């Protein structure tokens, strides 16, 4: 996994150096809703989450560009086993999108931008909580955790690696950008019968 990310960083650096006179950098902040999808989502509910990071846009033609960057993205979900038993899972990733962006000029002084492409993510940290009445048990989302007062029962951590499809629509005007992203995971969040990540973020950015 580390070798994969090192390779992506090298590609990222090479593209930047090759087109350094054309690259547009930006800071992005997004807020939205994350959840799980698939037949093993177990009636889970979405939770509010956020993402923040640095992006870049490398023009390829007058209408098409390549977009990437490095984002800190929070995902996860919650669900109720009973009315008094609730579980909330938070998953924090370093995430790299690899997107094709299509710029459509408008009569007003801004562009409409459509993006599509894969993303790669690696789980860094997160906390899961199990609430039973007024009692709360917490553990690290991505680490195996031993159940208190037992010798053998272990809660397995979630898979750290995730990859999927990211789709977006945005407005690009002056130094500012705004838009909506949808992210749909291809990888199961855990071994065995498990759901996939899904998230939607409203985002705003400032270009340098």
């Amino acid at each position: 996994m580390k070798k994969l990310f090192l390779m992506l960083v090298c590609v990222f650096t090479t593209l930047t150096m090759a087109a350094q006179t054309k690259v547009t950098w930006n800071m992005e902040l997004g807020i939205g809703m994350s959840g799980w999808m698939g037949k093993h989502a177990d009636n889970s509910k979405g939770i509010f989450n956020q993402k923040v990071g640095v992006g870049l846009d490398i023009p390829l033609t007058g209408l098409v560009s390549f977009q990437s960057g490095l984002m800190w993205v929070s995902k996860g979900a919650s669900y109720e086993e009973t009315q008094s038993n609730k579980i909330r899972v938070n998953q924090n990733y370093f995430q790299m999108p690899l997107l094709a962006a299509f710029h459509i000029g408008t009569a007003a002084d801004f562009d409409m931008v459509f993006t599509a492409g894969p993303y790669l993510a690696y789980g860094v940290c997160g906390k899961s909580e199990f609430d039973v009445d007024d009692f709360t048990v917490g553990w690290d989302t991505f680490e195996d955790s031993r159940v208190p007062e037992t010798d053998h029962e272990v809660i397995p951590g979630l898979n750290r690696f995730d990859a999927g499809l990211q789709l977006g629509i945005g407005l690009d005007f002056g130094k500012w950008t705004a838009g909506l992203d949808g992210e749909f995971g291809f990888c199961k969040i855990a071994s065995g019968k498990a759901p996939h990540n899904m998230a939607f973020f409203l985002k705003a950015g400032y270009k340098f």
Side-chain angles (χ1 to χ4, degrees), residues 113-174:
V113 184
F114 296 91
T115 57
Y119 72 80
L120 302 174
Y122 185 77
V124 180
C125 63
K127 185 176 182 180
S128 299
E129 294 182 335
F130 180 34
D131 295 330
V132 183
D133 296 324
D134 295 327
F135 180 71
T136 300
V137 177
W139 63 92
D140 191 313
T141 299
F142 295 106
E143 297 288 344
D144 292 346
S145 303
R146 189 174 299 279
V147 178
E149 300 181 359
T150 67
D151 294 329
H152 302 95
E153 188 173 356
V154 173
I155 301 174
L158 300 188
N159 296 331
R160 290 186 181 272
F161 179 74
D162 188 30
L165 175 66
Q166 179 173 321
L167 302 172
I169 182 172
L171 300 177
D172 189 338
F173 47 95

Side-chain angles (χ1 to χ4, degrees), residues 3-24:
K3 291 182 179 179
L4 173 61
F5 270 85
L6 286 174
M7 182 183 69
L8 289 172
V9 169
C10 289
V11 172
F12 181 82
T13 303
T14 301
L15 286 170
T16 302
M17 293 177 63
Q20 57 184 343
T21 59
K22 300 179 180 180
V23 170
T24 299

Side-chain angles (χ1 to χ4, degrees), residues 9-193:
V9 169
C10 289
V11 172
F12 181 82
T13 303
T14 301
L15 286 170
T16 302
M17 293 177 63
Q20 57 184 343
T21 59
K22 300 179 180 180
V23 170
T24 299
W25 291 90
N26 66 82
M27 291 290 296
E28 286 188 2
L29 173 64
I31 56 174
M33 184 76 70
S34 68
W36 296 334
M37 64 180 185
K39 61 182 180 179
H40 301 298
D42 296 331
N43 298 315
S44 60
K45 298 180 180 179
I47 59 176
F48 287 103
N49 260 317
Q50 66 285 325
K51 71 174 180 178
V52 61
V54 178
L56 82 166
D57 184 284
I58 302 175
L60 302 177
T61 70
L63 299 177
V64 181
S65 66
F66 169 75
Q67 293 186 354
S68 187
L70 185 63
M71 304 289 169
W72 175 273
V73 184
S74 293
K75 298 181 181 180
S78 67
Y79 56 94
E80 298 181 3
E81 291 189 332
T82 66
Q83 191 171 4
S84 60
N85 294 358
K86 301 178 182 179
I87 297 177
R88 179 186 175 94
V89 181
N90 182 254
Q91 305 150 234
N92 296 312
Y93 297 91
F94 277 130
Q95 185 164 301
M96 179 180 289
L98 302 168
L99 308 175
F102 304 91
H103 302 256
I104 300 175
T106 65
D109 190 21
F110 64 85
D111 288 342
M112 182 171 289
V113 184
F114 296 91
T115 57
Y119 72 80
L120 302 174
Y122 185 77
V124 180
C125 63
K127 185 176 182 180
S128 299
E129 294 182 335
F130 180 34
D131 295 330
V132 183
D133 296 324
D134 295 327
F135 180 71
T136 300
V137 177
W139 63 92
D140 191 313
T141 299
F142 295 106
E143 297 288 344
D144 292 346
S145 303
R146 189 174 299 279
V147 178
E149 300 181 359
T150 67
D151 294 329
H152 302 95
E153 188 173 356
V154 173
I155 301 174
L158 300 188
N159 296 331
R160 290 186 181 272
F161 179 74
D162 188 30
L165 175 66
Q166 179 173 321
L167 302 172
I169 182 172
L171 300 177
D172 189 338
F173 47 95
K175 290 287 188 178
W176 297 92
T177 63
L180 172 66
D181 286 341
E183 300 173 4
F184 308 92
F186 293 157
C187 302
K188 295 188 294 184
I189 64 171
S191 58
K193 297 179 179 180

